[in-house]
Amino acid sequence: MVKFYFKPRRRRIHIKAKRYIPRKQKHALTFKIVCVFLILATLFVLLDIPIRPVVRENAKYIVKNEVALMINECVAGYLQENNIAYTDLITVSLNDKKEVTAVGTNTIAVNKLKTDITNAIANELKDSRGEKIRVSLGNLFDSYILDYIGIEFQVKLTDYGFIETDILSSFKSSGINQTIHRINLKIKVEINVNIGTLYQKETVETEILLVETVLLGNVPEMYIK
């Protein structure tokens, strides 16, 4: 009887030797990394100094325009949806000769209008996601060549402080025995703007025409609020 014996084949394991880096090379590499970091930090600071005021001014201009446009759209939408007319807000008293004797305000209707518009503006401000602004390098270095090269920054409306509304009434003569009576809504909003690590407060003020009419005859100087 023949027997066969098989010995298990041993696998060779290749062990890679660790590369030894001299201490002097480690120190040189660390020194180079620190130098590169310092150079980049210096360049960042040198660029940040002229860019910061330009970004602030651009952000201020853009955010104010966006908020003012949003306020106008809120007011226009409310007036159109509720069909607000002059007679809804103002009461005009006439005598037997149909002459204007007094002009008064419908306080309940005016207060409701101010409250509804304030709430609508507040809701729009909460939903604001921010806008991107582009700052041209030509503005920074006063160069026409660099006008088409720019950097984009994210501008966000993070919060709002207060919303004030006030009703303004004005009378303006328009021809013989005719007076234009306008009712305007003055709106003042304080907002907080975030541009990267920059935070600033801005105040947006706008005045919107609500209703107007032409009053015939002599209008008394007394205006009853």
Coordinates of all heavy atoms in Angstrom, one line a residue, residues 78 84-85 87-90 105-116 167:
Y78 N -52.9 92.6 -0.8 CA -54.0 92.8 0.2 C -55.1 93.7 -0.3 O -56.3 93.4 -0.2 CB -53.4 93.3 1.5 CG -54.5 93.6 2.5 CD1 -54.9 92.5 3.4 CD2 -55.1 94.8 2.7 CE1 -55.9 92.7 4.3 CE2 -56.0 95.0 3.7 CZ -56.4 94.0 4.5 OH -57.4 94.2 5.5
I84 N -60.2 97.1 -1.4 CA -60.3 98.3 -0.5 C -60.5 99.5 -1.4 O -59.8 99.8 -2.3 CB -59.0 98.4 0.3 CG1 -58.7 97.2 1.1 CG2 -59.0 99.6 1.1 CD1 -59.7 96.9 2.2
A85 N -61.5 100.3 -1.0 CA -61.9 101.5 -1.7 C -61.8 102.7 -0.7 O -61.6 102.5 0.5 CB -63.3 101.4 -2.2
T87 N -64.0 104.8 0.3 CA -65.1 104.9 1.2 C -65.0 103.9 2.4 O -65.7 104.0 3.4 CB -66.4 104.7 0.5 OG1 -66.4 103.5 -0.3 CG2 -66.7 105.9 -0.4
D88 N -64.2 102.8 2.2 CA -64.0 101.8 3.2 C -63.1 102.4 4.4 O -63.3 101.9 5.5 CB -63.3 100.6 2.7 CG -64.2 99.9 1.7 OD1 -65.4 99.9 1.8 OD2 -63.6 99.3 0.7
L89 N -62.3 103.4 4.1 CA -61.4 103.9 5.1 C -61.7 105.3 5.5 O -61.4 105.7 6.7 CB -59.9 103.9 4.6 CG -59.4 102.6 4.0 CD1 -58.0 102.8 3.5 CD2 -59.4 101.5 5.1
I90 N -62.4 106.0 4.7 CA -62.7 107.5 5.0 C -64.2 107.7 4.9 O -64.9 107.2 4.0 CB -61.9 108.4 4.0 CG1 -60.4 108.1 4.0 CG2 -62.2 109.8 4.3 CD1 -59.8 108.4 5.4
T105 N -61.9 109.3 9.6 CA -61.3 108.0 9.3 C -62.2 106.9 10.0 O -62.6 107.1 11.1 CB -59.9 107.9 9.9 OG1 -59.1 109.0 9.4 CG2 -59.3 106.6 9.7
N106 N -62.4 105.8 9.2 CA -63.0 104.6 9.8 C -62.0 103.9 10.6 O -61.2 103.1 10.0 CB -63.6 103.8 8.6 CG -64.4 102.6 9.2 OD1 -64.3 102.2 10.3 ND2 -65.2 102.1 8.3
T107 N -61.9 104.1 11.9 CA -60.9 103.6 12.7 C -60.8 102.1 12.7 O -59.7 101.5 12.7 CB -61.0 104.1 14.2 OG1 -61.2 105.5 14.2 CG2 -59.9 103.7 15.0
I108 N -61.9 101.4 12.8 CA -61.9 100.0 12.8 C -61.3 99.4 11.5 O -60.5 98.5 11.6 CB -63.4 99.5 13.0 CG1 -63.9 99.9 14.4 CG2 -63.4 97.9 12.9 CD1 -65.3 99.5 14.6
A109 N -61.8 99.9 10.4 CA -61.3 99.4 9.1 C -59.8 99.7 9.0 O -59.0 98.8 8.5 CB -62.0 100.0 8.0
V110 N -59.3 100.9 9.4 CA -57.9 101.2 9.3 C -57.0 100.3 10.2 O -56.0 99.9 9.7 CB -57.7 102.7 9.6 CG1 -56.2 103.0 9.8 CG2 -58.3 103.6 8.5
N111 N -57.5 100.1 11.4 CA -56.7 99.3 12.3 C -56.6 97.8 11.8 O -55.6 97.2 11.9 CB -57.3 99.3 13.7 CG -57.1 100.6 14.4 OD1 -56.2 101.4 14.1 ND2 -57.9 100.9 15.4
K112 N -57.7 97.3 11.2 CA -57.7 96.0 10.6 C -56.7 95.9 9.5 O -56.0 94.9 9.3 CB -59.1 95.6 10.2 CG -59.2 94.1 9.7 CD -60.6 93.8 9.3 CE -60.7 92.3 8.8 NZ -59.7 92.0 7.7
L113 N -56.7 96.9 8.6 CA -55.8 97.0 7.5 C -54.4 97.0 7.9 O -53.6 96.2 7.4 CB -56.1 98.2 6.6 CG -55.3 98.4 5.4 CD1 -56.1 99.0 4.3 CD2 -54.1 99.4 5.7
K114 N -54.1 97.8 8.9 CA -52.7 97.8 9.4 C -52.2 96.5 10.0 O -51.1 96.0 9.8 CB -52.6 98.9 10.5 CG -52.7 100.3 9.9 CD -52.8 101.4 11.0 CE -51.6 101.5 11.8 NZ -51.7 102.6 12.9
T115 N -53.1 95.9 10.8 CA -52.8 94.6 11.4 C -52.6 93.5 10.3 O -51.6 92.7 10.4 CB -53.9 94.1 12.4 OG1 -54.1 95.2 13.4 CG2 -53.6 92.8 13.0
D116 N -53.5 93.4 9.4 CA -53.4 92.4 8.3 C -52.1 92.5 7.5 O -51.4 91.6 7.2 CB -54.6 92.4 7.4 CG -55.9 92.0 8.2 OD1 -55.7 91.4 9.3 OD2 -57.0 92.2 7.7
I167 N -50.7 105.6 9.2 CA -51.6 106.1 8.1 C -51.3 107.6 8.0 O -51.3 108.3 9.0 CB -53.1 105.9 8.4 CG1 -53.4 104.4 8.4 CG2 -53.9 106.6 7.4 CD1 -53.3 103.7 7.1

